[in-house]
């Protein structure tokens, strides 16, 4: 059975260091049996990053009207796994206030990571925690979940203004400080289907073959580690080769089919934008 020491040792041998900013995607059940469950995995992450490190997790609620109840930063359950749900109750953890894509963070950089993201901002845009993760060159960990939950793909789509995300407005609800339910709208809602939600997707194969991912087995879980700037570099270059690389090729997927037609028409503008983003972020 796995315990905190074994998980910490695994993370350290993978290359997690004290002081790291960690962005963690996870699947608890992938580990097999863990003594103490989700809390043990969280404690191992905190120990590996140390007191100078900052551990962050998406705790998305997707509180779109008609989809999920209004967002309340303290009460709304995370929809992205047991570990994230336990994490948000950990002492000292701070949570963002975005009604679809709230991030939780613990450590000295937590305030910096969360400070600018308002409910009316794009979920993965330049005001979001992801901009800060790129500034801080966060280490992204995938604990047994593979690359399917790789939100950073949406960051690239958002910042490039790809038509299939830029055309979508989110309408969400949240509970304000006076306990009133408030409607908010925001741009670039990253709904619809994507190729990378399923294993063996084009972008996941490209990332796995990029030479940028480190991999280790901890218990039964395959744990992957990559720098967020490396994800951006690989994804932006892949989008330059194929602007529809994040969309699926299933014949019955109308969303991806229509989105593909639209990005292929916009290819010239997208490529110019990719070049300028690569220069701005100083990626190769
Ligand atoms: Zn699709």
């Amino acid at each position: 059975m796995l315990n905190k020491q074994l998980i910490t040792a695994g993370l350290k041998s993978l290359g997690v260091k004290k002081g790291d900013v960690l962005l963690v995607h996870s699947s608890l059940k992938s580990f097999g049996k863990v003594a103490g469950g989700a809390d043990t995995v969280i404690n191992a992450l905190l120990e590996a990053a140390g007191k100078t490190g900052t551990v962050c997790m998406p705790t998305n609620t997707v509180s779109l009207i008609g989809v999920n109840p209004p967002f309340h930063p303290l009460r709304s359950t995370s929809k992205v796994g047991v570990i994230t749900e336990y994490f948000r109750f950990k002492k000292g953890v701070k949570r963002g206030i975005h009604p679809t894509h709230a991030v939780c963070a613990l450590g000295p950089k937590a305030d910096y990571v969360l400070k600018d993201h308002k409910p009316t901002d794009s979920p993965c845009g330049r005001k979001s925690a992801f901009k800060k993760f790129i500034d801080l060159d966060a280490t992204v960990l995938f604990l047994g979940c593979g690359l399917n939950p790789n939100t950073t793909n949406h960051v690239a789509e958002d910042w490039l203004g790809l038509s299939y995300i830029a055309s979508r407005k989110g309408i969400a609800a949240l509970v304000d400080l006076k306990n009133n339910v408030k409607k908010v709208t925001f741009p670039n809602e990253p709904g619809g289907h994507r190729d990378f939600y399923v294993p063996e997707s084009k972008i996941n194969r490209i990332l796995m073959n990029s030479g940028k991912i480190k991999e280790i087995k901890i218990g039964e879980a395959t744990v992957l580690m990559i720098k967020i700037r490396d994800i951006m570099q690989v994804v932006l270059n892949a989008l330059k080769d194929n602007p529809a690389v994040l969309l699926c090729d299933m014949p019955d997927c109308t969303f991806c089919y229509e989105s593909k037609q639209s990005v292929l028409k916009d290819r010239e503008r997208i490529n110019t934008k990719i070049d300028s983003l690569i220069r701005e972020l100083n990626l190769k």
Side-chain angles (χ1 to χ4, degrees), residues 207-267:
L207 279 161
M208 289 307 293
N209 292 332
S210 67
K212 307 281 190 190
I213 291 190
K214 290 184 184 160
E215 183 175 335
I216 199 170
K217 205 91 176 162
I218 303 180
E220 292 168 26
T222 300
V223 175
L224 307 175
M225 182 177 95
I226 180 169
K227 286 291 195 180
I228 196 165
R229 290 170 52 81
D230 286 336
I231 299 180
M232 286 299 279
Q233 190 252 337
V234 171
V235 172
L236 289 172
N237 281 303
L239 281 164
K240 203 164 177 185
D241 291 339
N242 173 12
V245 72
L246 302 176
L247 300 164
C248 85
D249 304 302
M250 292 188 292
D252 57 346
C253 183
T254 316
F255 179 87
C256 291
Y257 177 80
E258 287 174 357
S259 302
K260 193 186 290 182
Q261 308 310 310
S262 126
V263 288
L264 287 172
K265 271 188 238 154
D266 196 22
R267 195 161 192 172

Side-chain angles (χ1 to χ4, degrees), residues 9-282:
L11 292 170
K12 284 182 178 169
S13 65
L14 186 62
V16 175
K17 302 182 305 298
K18 303 264 184 220
D20 278 356
V21 175
L22 301 179
L23 165 58
V24 185
H25 301 283
S26 57
S27 157
L28 177 62
K29 64 175 186 294
S30 71
F31 283 99
K33 284 209 167 76
V34 181
D39 218 34
T40 300
V41 178
I42 294 164
N43 289 335
L45 289 162
L46 292 171
E47 178 150 330
K51 284 204 176 349
T52 55
T54 302
V55 176
C56 309
M57 297 187 193
T59 56
N60 304 354
T61 59
V62 197
S63 300
L64 296 167
I65 289 176
V67 177
N68 281 309
F71 175 69
H72 186 293
L74 301 177
R75 290 188 221 129
S76 295
T77 308
S78 166
K79 306 276 184 200
V80 286
V82 183
I83 293 175
T84 69
E85 181 59 7
Y86 270 77
F87 183 58
R88 71 184 188 88
F89 288 105
K90 201 87 191 156
K91 193 170 177 242
V93 167
K94 294 180 176 167
R95 193 183 204 186
I97 54 167
H98 196 279
T100 60
H101 287 65
V103 168
C104 276
L106 177 58
K109 299 280 197 316
D111 286 327
Y112 173 73
V113 164
L114 302 175
K115 72 186 174 94
D116 293 326
H117 202 200
K118 297 191 298 298
T120 47
D121 292 326
S122 154
C124 306
R126 287 174 177 270
K127 293 285 181 67
S128 75
F130 286 86
K131 166 72 166 72
K132 308 302 195 302
F133 294 142
I134 292 169
D135 289 349
L136 297 165
D137 199 13
T139 297
V140 189
L141 289 171
F142 298 88
L143 307 181
C145 51
L147 294 172
N148 297 8
N150 186 11
T151 316
T152 308
N153 290 324
H154 292 311
V155 178
E157 294 175 333
D158 182 306
W159 295 20
L160 294 173
L162 299 190
S163 54
Y164 60 84
I165 184 169
S167 60
R168 291 175 66 95
K169 186 169 79 170
I171 306 172
L174 53 83
V175 183
D176 71 13
L177 293 172
K178 291 178 182 155
N179 242 8
N180 297 317
V181 175
K182 221 172 98 181
K183 184 176 135 180
V184 289
T185 58
F186 57 83
N188 293 17
E189 192 271 308
H193 188 246
R194 298 292 190 279
D195 194 35
F196 64 89
Y197 296 162
V198 291
E200 304 299 319
S201 71
K202 297 183 283 295
I203 196 65
N204 291 359
R205 259 199 316 271
I206 293 169
L207 279 161
M208 289 307 293
N209 292 332
S210 67
K212 307 281 190 190
I213 291 190
K214 290 184 184 160
E215 183 175 335
I216 199 170
K217 205 91 176 162
I218 303 180
E220 292 168 26
T222 300
V223 175
L224 307 175
M225 182 177 95
I226 180 169
K227 286 291 195 180
I228 196 165
R229 290 170 52 81
D230 286 336
I231 299 180
M232 286 299 279
Q233 190 252 337
V234 171
V235 172
L236 289 172
N237 281 303
L239 281 164
K240 203 164 177 185
D241 291 339
N242 173 12
V245 72
L246 302 176
L247 300 164
C248 85
D249 304 302
M250 292 188 292
D252 57 346
C253 183
T254 316
F255 179 87
C256 291
Y257 177 80
E258 287 174 357
S259 302
K260 193 186 290 182
Q261 308 310 310
S262 126
V263 288
L264 287 172
K265 271 188 238 154
D266 196 22
R267 195 161 192 172
E268 207 176 315
R269 186 201 65 87
I270 294 170
N271 283 350
T272 309
K273 192 95 185 174
I274 290 172
D275 288 341
S276 90
L277 197 49
I278 286 174
R279 273 196 307 276
E280 177 198 330
L281 300 177
N282 201 19

